[in-house]
Amino acid sequence: LLEVCQGLAADLVRNGEGTGHVMRVQISNFPGTDNEARRLGRHVVNSPLFKCAVSGNDPNTGRLAGAIGSFMGKFKEEEGLDDVTLTLGGRDIFAKGKFILEGDEVERELSDHMKDAQLGEVDEFPQHQKFVEIGIDFGSSGGAGVATILGSDLTAEYVTVNADYRS
């Protein structure tokens, strides 16, 4: 039943108007409750700058870190981030307090992950069920909070459809 519900939830996001990518943010060892971990995940998937970066297949890790930092600064400012590890497409991009980005090859790999998860612009229905995979692990000094959050990117098509919509 859980698997069916997770699939339906992903389909809801995938079938949204103008959706080009579905993001899956998996949070582990959050220094707080599962509900607070969900709030962090929603903060990330609702960040306009990060949504635009995903839409453009731009692995802008600073926008991801900015969304996380914005949430933590507002709601968990007393928590340290020294043990946080961020992943994009299964690849570590931040660990031990610094970014792990070794040049153009890594950027291409991350961008290719995003391109592989991109949905077709004119497809009648989604052609695959891939995600832009984002991991946020607070490490051993974190807590027990866990969450998986789904969200979509912010495409020009979405903006056009909704800018022209009249009720």
Side-chain angles (χ1 to χ4, degrees):
L1 182 61
L2 177 63
E3 188 177 325
V4 170
C5 289
Q6 288 172 334
L8 290 172
D11 286 345
L12 284 173
V13 176
R14 196 169 281 109
N15 288 303
E17 59 191 20
T19 296
H21 298 80
V22 178
M23 298 178 280
R24 179 165 53 191
V25 179
Q26 296 181 309
I27 300 167
S28 56
N29 300 310
F30 184 78
T33 66
D34 290 353
N35 187 48
E36 290 172 312
R38 280 191 297 275
R39 287 179 49 215
L40 169 60
R42 285 196 306 267
H43 196 81
V44 170
V45 300
N46 289 327
S47 164
L49 288 174
F50 187 62
K51 289 167 79 86
C52 289
V54 171
S55 177
N57 296 313
D58 177 9
N60 190 323
T61 55
R63 290 183 179 181
L64 173 59
I68 296 165
S70 169
F71 179 87
M72 296 301 288
K74 288 177 189 172
F75 303 109
K76 290 287 191 178
E77 65 182 273
E78 72 283 354
E79 299 295 337
L81 301 175
D82 295 336
D83 288 337
V84 172
T85 299
L86 304 179
T87 60
L88 181 58
R91 186 186 211 305
D92 287 358
I93 58 170
F94 182 89
K96 298 178 184 171
K98 62 182 179 179
F99 286 100
I100 308 167
L101 304 168
E102 302 98 21
D104 293 341
E105 184 177 320
V106 173
E107 185 173 334
R108 240 182 332 276
E109 177 186 332
L110 298 173
S111 183
D112 287 347
H113 167 69
M114 294 173 149
K115 287 176 186 173
D116 187 51
Q118 189 168 7
L119 301 167
E121 292 182 27
V122 294
D123 296 336
E124 297 241 352
F125 59 91
Q127 299 295 312
H128 61 75
Q129 296 188 348
K130 297 177 183 174
F131 300 93
V132 174
E133 299 285 358
I134 300 151
I136 307 170
D137 183 352
F138 284 82
S140 59
S141 67
V146 297
T148 299
I149 302 298
L150 302 175
S152 65
D153 58 357
L154 182 57
T155 63
E157 178 187 356
Y158 177 85
V159 172
T160 299
V161 165
N162 286 285
D164 292 340
Y165 179 81
R166 299 285 184 256
S167 55

